Amino acid sequence: MKSPVPDLAPSDGEEGEDRTPLLQRAPRAETAPVCCSARYNLAFLAFFGFFVLYSLRVNLSVALVDMVDSNTTAADNRTANECAEHPAPIKVLHNQTGKKYRWDAATQGWILGSFFYGYIVMQIPAGYAASRSGGKLLLGFGILGTAVFTLFTPLAADFGVGALVALRALEGLGEGVTFPAMHAMWSSWAPPLERSKLLSISYAGAQFGTVVSLPLSGIICFYMNWTYVFYLFGIVGIIWFILWIWLVSDTPETHKTISPYEKEYILSSLRNQLSSQKSVPWIPMLKSLALWAIVVAHFSYNWTFYTLLTLLPTYMTEVLKFNIQENGFLSAVPYLGCWLCMILSGQAADNLRAKWNFSTLCVRRVFSLIGMIGPAVFLVAAGFIGCDYSLAVAFLTISTTLGGFGSSGFSINHLDIAPSYAGILLGITNTFATIPGMIGPIIARSLTPENTIGEWQTVFCIAAAINVFGAIFFTLFAKGEVQNWAVRDHRGHRN
């Protein structure tokens, strides 16, 4: 039986130029208004969800500095004291009422890394579950669970290192479902020519959560004590969950207040991009070089991202000698730039595709190159400027800011090559991309026993080299079109 739609890409969609064929031949409805639209309401609610998500993830990085007995840290880390103490601009007595623990550098590394042992387990199962039953409840309860576990962090710390490591692993299980679930939801909600905008808005919440939680955690630790860091963000997570369950639907068809015009616009734009088959084409999917290009890029990008996310406060304190009050603010500055860059790059990427007729592949390649090689250059530069506080913060800020371009590059390429299985694809790539979060901080701590500038130069150079390799691999092997295996029915035909 002949397929109703002729083959539109050579072989299995793995070769040939990027013509985004399904996008061109599908009838294109006039764009539905943005203001008060259901799809942009989803994007902004997702933005605040990922704001909460990363607030819950990174607050320990700052609080840990105040939780640990400084005498233990000094004895175990043998800090080199190459940089002079940085004078605090505001002379206010630091509240010291929070309990202190005698955890050495290795123990701190395990505490910070334990989150990812739970996180990595849920990636592929979450993607599969979201593709079958929707991502709304999965994402909502994932963040709710993480928020509730966060409230018990002070209690777990009192029970001992084992209890805290176990609790952080459970938080990782909760957060592990979120990105695959969100990708699965966007496969039903994001029109192809609005993907960069909608996804960059929603995932920019992660950077904004980092921007807010790092300095706010520092302020709370300074004026109150570290326990309140976990109580505040845990309560915010519970409030967000109530709004999410009340206002969000898995698909446009099930949304109660979406306009008929917007619903038709979304459904018609995706009509020839989704698969009708119920089973997942695991073998063709895992053989797809387009998928492995995203895997390598995602792994490489996250090596730098997670190393800085977990250890930047330590670098600011132990090497550049900022106190905990300044630490939170200065550690957040780079992520403010990344947040702004993600929002702007999403707008730029979709404009290049819709108004300037740039191919999807070209846009994904260019934005990935800028978002991976740019950060590598400035990360290395940050390691070689010594104790120049201003330049160190400036270079780290530029490095992390440029990383925001990646959100419109490899980061959303899953939806380009297989919208129906975007949640599963993200689960696969994020499984590999979580490994740097597990081993990166441990390797970095092992390379910096004396906390000298030279030791941190090694850490930064390794991260930069991995970033550059990932950018080159993605550029060579990425695809920008829907792959044949992603739209075939059981008989091997396109739908």
Side-chain angles (χ1 to χ4, degrees), residues 130-195:
S131 70
R132 299 299 296 269
S133 58
K136 172 188 171 179
L137 294 180
L138 199 60
L139 193 153
F141 280 104
I143 295 181
L144 176 65
T146 305
V148 172
F149 287 132
T150 297
L151 293 173
F152 289 97
T153 300
L155 183 63
D158 276 342
F159 274 107
V161 172
L164 183 56
V165 167
L167 184 74
R168 288 290 290 177
L170 288 173
E171 290 180 30
L173 285 174
E175 290 203 15
V177 306
T178 52
F179 280 93
M182 191 74 256
H183 249 51
M185 288 185 71
W186 280 126
S187 70
S188 299
W189 275 99
L193 291 178
E194 293 186 12
R195 279 177 185 154

Side-chain angles (χ1 to χ4, degrees), residues 57 111-119 168-169 171-173 175:
R57 183 185 297 195
I111 291 171
L112 290 172
S114 59
F115 169 92
F116 297 101
Y117 289 90
Y119 188 75
R168 288 290 290 177
E171 290 180 30
L173 285 174
E175 290 203 15

Side-chain angles (χ1 to χ4, degrees), residues 87-239:
I90 304 174
K91 299 295 182 181
V92 179
L93 184 63
H94 181 183
N95 187 301
Q96 299 285 354
T97 59
K99 189 173 180 179
K100 302 290 184 180
Y101 303 94
R102 299 185 64 81
W103 296 332
D104 59 21
T107 301
Q108 294 174 52
W110 282 107
I111 291 171
L112 290 172
S114 59
F115 169 92
F116 297 101
Y117 289 90
Y119 188 75
I120 195 171
V121 170
M122 294 304 298
Q123 295 300 311
I124 296 176
Y128 180 76
S131 70
R132 299 299 296 269
S133 58
K136 172 188 171 179
L137 294 180
L138 199 60
L139 193 153
F141 280 104
I143 295 181
L144 176 65
T146 305
V148 172
F149 287 132
T150 297
L151 293 173
F152 289 97
T153 300
L155 183 63
D158 276 342
F159 274 107
V161 172
L164 183 56
V165 167
L167 184 74
R168 288 290 290 177
L170 288 173
E171 290 180 30
L173 285 174
E175 290 203 15
V177 306
T178 52
F179 280 93
M182 191 74 256
H183 249 51
M185 288 185 71
W186 280 126
S187 70
S188 299
W189 275 99
L193 291 178
E194 293 186 12
R195 279 177 185 154
S196 302
K197 295 176 185 176
L198 291 167
L199 271 76
S200 63
I201 290 172
S202 58
Y203 293 140
Q207 307 303 325
F208 193 65
T210 306
V211 168
V212 173
S213 65
L214 286 177
L216 186 56
S217 297
I219 291 172
I220 293 172
C221 288
F222 197 87
Y223 291 102
M224 301 168 71
N225 71 58
W226 59 265
T227 60
Y228 292 99
V229 170
F230 303 104
Y231 298 146
L232 172 66
F233 290 114
I235 292 171
V236 171
I238 294 172
I239 294 172

Side-chain angles (χ1 to χ4, degrees), residues 60-398:
L60 182 63
S61 298
V62 175
L64 192 63
V65 176
D66 212 36
M67 293 168 70
V68 175
D69 188 333
S70 58
N71 293 325
T72 303
T73 303
D76 291 332
N77 288 357
R78 302 184 298 280
T79 300
N81 293 320
E82 291 179 292
C83 299
E85 292 287 342
H86 194 65
I90 304 174
K91 299 295 182 181
V92 179
L93 184 63
H94 181 183
N95 187 301
Q96 299 285 354
T97 59
K99 189 173 180 179
K100 302 290 184 180
Y101 303 94
R102 299 185 64 81
W103 296 332
D104 59 21
T107 301
Q108 294 174 52
W110 282 107
I111 291 171
L112 290 172
S114 59
F115 169 92
F116 297 101
Y117 289 90
Y119 188 75
I120 195 171
V121 170
M122 294 304 298
Q123 295 300 311
I124 296 176
Y128 180 76
S131 70
R132 299 299 296 269
S133 58
K136 172 188 171 179
L137 294 180
L138 199 60
L139 193 153
F141 280 104
I143 295 181
L144 176 65
T146 305
V148 172
F149 287 132
T150 297
L151 293 173
F152 289 97
T153 300
L155 183 63
D158 276 342
F159 274 107
V161 172
L164 183 56
V165 167
L167 184 74
R168 288 290 290 177
L170 288 173
E171 290 180 30
L173 285 174
E175 290 203 15
V177 306
T178 52
F179 280 93
M182 191 74 256
H183 249 51
M185 288 185 71
W186 280 126
S187 70
S188 299
W189 275 99
L193 291 178
E194 293 186 12
R195 279 177 185 154
S196 302
K197 295 176 185 176
L198 291 167
L199 271 76
S200 63
I201 290 172
S202 58
Y203 293 140
Q207 307 303 325
F208 193 65
T210 306
V211 168
V212 173
S213 65
L214 286 177
L216 186 56
S217 297
I219 291 172
I220 293 172
C221 288
F222 197 87
Y223 291 102
M224 301 168 71
N225 71 58
W226 59 265
T227 60
Y228 292 99
V229 170
F230 303 104
Y231 298 146
L232 172 66
F233 290 114
I235 292 171
V236 171
I238 294 172
I239 294 172
W240 172 86
F241 169 77
I242 295 171
L243 295 174
W244 177 260
I245 294 298
W246 182 31
L247 297 173
V248 166
S249 296
D250 274 310
T251 65
E253 294 98 321
T254 58
H255 198 281
K256 295 179 181 178
T257 61
I258 188 173
S259 70
Y261 184 74
E262 183 185 7
K263 182 192 294 186
E264 177 56 27
Y265 163 63
I266 295 172
L267 296 180
S268 64
S269 70
L270 295 172
R271 189 159 290 140
N272 289 329
Q273 296 221 335
L274 301 177
S275 174
S276 62
Q277 63 178 314
K278 301 300 181 183
S279 61
V280 178
W282 291 105
I283 300 303
M285 180 186 294
L286 293 175
K287 290 169 63 177
S288 173
L289 193 56
L291 169 61
W292 290 103
I294 306 173
V295 168
V296 173
H298 204 167
F299 176 94
S300 303
Y301 179 89
N302 273 18
W303 187 283
T304 298
F305 179 78
Y306 281 136
T307 298
L308 288 180
L309 189 68
T310 55
L311 294 180
L312 189 56
T314 301
Y315 179 74
M316 292 287 190
T317 300
E318 302 294 340
V319 178
L320 298 182
K321 304 299 181 183
F322 290 103
N323 65 34
I324 192 169
Q325 184 187 20
E326 297 173 299
N327 191 341
F329 282 102
L330 294 174
S331 296
V333 169
Y335 299 100
L336 176 61
C338 187
W339 170 65
L340 291 171
C341 187
M342 286 180 70
I343 298 292
L344 296 176
S345 66
Q347 302 296 314
D350 280 344
N351 282 336
L352 286 173
R353 296 169 66 214
K355 297 181 179 179
W356 294 87
N357 292 321
F358 277 70
S359 70
T360 301
L361 180 59
C362 177
V363 170
R364 301 297 180 234
R365 281 173 170 170
V366 170
F367 279 65
S368 295
L369 283 170
I370 298 172
M372 297 180 73
I373 293 182
V377 171
F378 284 96
L379 187 61
V380 171
F384 283 88
I385 48 84
C387 296
D388 190 321
Y389 309 107
S390 299
L391 270 182
V393 174
F395 285 166
L396 287 170
T397 298
I398 295 172

